[in-house]
Structure formats: structure tokens, C-alpha cells
């Protein structure tokens, strides 16, 4: 029996950590897209399929539904926080970034409703922390005397009201409705786009 050796150039390299990082990034991107369309209750199998990996790979990175949701929403919240920390940020720019996330993600809307308005058992534990971080980032840009600063609850009630208006089959329709809601509240919103330094 003749043995054939595979040449080094034909043997696929074990990419190890690079493949793991690439798979995780693909899963987070897929989860963002799936959650955007179907919300946080979307099947995990749809996320794995969209990412082009098996469910075993998904579970190696994210042991349960909460871990996937946390990873996706954490990225959204970090972007809001980076906006707040940028030098030239003001409240309209913050609200523009926030509104972009609202129009892109039904899951992000659900997160912003995790402020205790529902029963404690219906809100995942991670959602409270992330929601509070969004509120802190927004408050950092809220000028004294602003109409959304009249009472402690006004800011997040306004955000909840706008997020409730974010409906429609297309992103453009959702953005138009969100802008109309801010306008009706008498609040200026900057360009609706993701954070860019």
C-alpha cells in the first residue's frame, strides 16, 4: 500500500483563535440581523444558519439564548456609550445614534423597555444593566433645564414613547416614524446613523 503525503501547501492551516474570533463575529452579526427581523425570541438555529456555522459552534461561544442576546445588545450599548464619550457629542447627536439603533433593532427596543415598567420576572436580568447604561449615557448629554430633564423619569419615558412609534416594514418607514415622534415631543434629533468617530 502506497502512502501519499499531503504537501504542506495543500494542508489547511489550523486557524485556531482566528477561526474562533471569526466565528464569534459572524454569530454576533447574524444574531443582530435575525433579532432585527424577529426580536429576541428568534430561534438560535436561524442565527447559526445565517452565520454559516453549526449549532455546536454557536453553543461553544454562547451557552444559551441570554448569552447571544447579551453579546448583540452589549455592542449596541457600547456604541451609545462611545457616542456619549466623543468630544463633539451633544444631545441631538446622541439621540440620532439611539434612533438609528431603534430603527435597526427590535431587540434594542425591547432592551429599553427593561426599566421596570413590566413585571420583574418578564425582563431578563442582563437587560436592566444594559438599559441603565443607555440611560446614563443619554443623561450625560442632557442639558440642565431641557424639556426631558423636568423629572427623573421624563427622559426614558420619552425614549419609550419614541420606541413605541418605531414600526413599519422598512427601515426608512421606522426612521420617519421615530423622527415624527421626537418632533411631536419637541426634541431635536441629529442625523440618524451609527456612531462614527
Amino acid at each position: 500500500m502506497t502512502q501519499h503525503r499531503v504537501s504542506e501547501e495543500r494542508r489547511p492551516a489550523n486557524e485556531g483563535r482566528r477561526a474562533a474570533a471569526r466565528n464569534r463575529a459572524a454569530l454576533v452579526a447574524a444574531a443582530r440581523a435575525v433579532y432585527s427581523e424577529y426580536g429576541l425570541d428568534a430561534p438560535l438555529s436561524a442565527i447559526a444558519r445565517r452565520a454559516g456555522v453549526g449549532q455546536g459552534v454557536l453553543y461553544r461561544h454562547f451557552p444559551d439564548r441570554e448569552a447571544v442576546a447579551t453579546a448583540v445588545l452589549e455592542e449596541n450599548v457600547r456604541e451609545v456609550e462611545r457616542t456619549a464619550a466623543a468630544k463633539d457629542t451633544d444631545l441631538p447627536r446622541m439621540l440620532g445614534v439611539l434612533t438609528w439603533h431603534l430603527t435597526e433593532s427590535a431587540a434594542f427596543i425591547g432592551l429599553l423597555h427593561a426599566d421596570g415598567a413590566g413585571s420583574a420576572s418578564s425582563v431578563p436580568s442582563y437587560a436592566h444593566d444594559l438599559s441603565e447604561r443607555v440611560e446614563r449615557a443619554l443623561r450625560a448629554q442632557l442639558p440642565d433645564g431641557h424639556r426631558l430633564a423636568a423629572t427623573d423619569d421624563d427622559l426614558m419615558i420619552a425614549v419609550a414613547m419614541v420606541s413605541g412609534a418605531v414600526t413599519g416594514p422598512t427601515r426608512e418607514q421606522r426612521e420617519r416614524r421615530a423622527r415624527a415622534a421626537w418632533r411631536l415631543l419637541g426634541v431635536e434629533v441629529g442625523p440618524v446613523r451609527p456612531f462614527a468617530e
Side-chain angles (χ1 to χ4, degrees):
M1 179 181 249
T2 308
Q3 290 185 337
H4 297 283
R5 296 178 65 184
V6 177
S7 73
E8 288 299 319
E9 64 187 21
R10 287 180 47 211
R11 182 180 297 150
N14 180 352
E15 294 188 69
R17 289 185 182 177
R18 273 192 302 213
R22 193 170 46 247
N23 286 342
R24 186 183 191 287
L27 284 164
V28 170
R32 180 183 309 284
V34 168
Y35 287 159
S36 176
E37 292 176 44
Y38 305 107
L40 290 175
D41 293 328
L44 295 180
S45 59
I47 294 169
R49 239 186 342 271
R50 174 100 36 121
V53 300
Q55 281 193 239
V57 172
L58 182 142
Y59 286 113
R60 268 197 298 280
H61 289 281
F62 305 108
D64 55 30
R65 177 178 300 283
E66 187 172 301
V68 179
T70 301
V72 172
L73 296 173
E74 174 72 34
E75 282 191 10
N76 291 359
V77 172
R78 269 192 302 229
E79 189 164 302
V80 170
E81 290 172 329
R82 280 195 306 270
T83 306
K87 286 185 227 171
D88 60 344
T89 294
D90 56 10
L91 185 62
R93 183 178 184 205
M94 280 292 304
L95 293 177
V97 170
L98 177 74
T99 302
W100 184 85
H101 282 290
L102 292 175
T103 61
E104 290 291 318
S105 174
F108 193 66
I109 290 173
L111 167 72
L112 295 176
H113 290 275
D115 62 359
S119 70
S121 62
S122 67
V123 178
S125 59
Y126 65 86
H128 285 292
D129 295 336
L130 293 174
S131 180
E132 287 174 3
R133 285 171 52 193
V134 169
E135 183 175 1
R136 277 194 303 273
L138 290 172
R139 284 199 185 284
Q141 300 301 324
L142 191 61
D144 291 337
H146 191 279
R147 67 184 313 120
L148 296 181
T151 72
D152 287 345
D153 293 338
D154 286 357
L155 175 62
M156 293 312 282
I157 288 172
V159 170
M161 290 169 69
V162 171
S163 69
V166 179
T167 60
T170 68
R171 205 194 80 54
E172 291 75 21
Q173 287 174 318
R174 294 189 300 270
E175 179 180 331
R176 188 169 50 252
R177 290 179 60 91
R179 283 187 167 283
W182 285 121
R183 188 184 72 250
L184 290 169
L185 289 169
V187 176
E188 179 189 354
V189 175
V192 176
R193 62 182 179 216
F195 172 67
E197 294 190 68

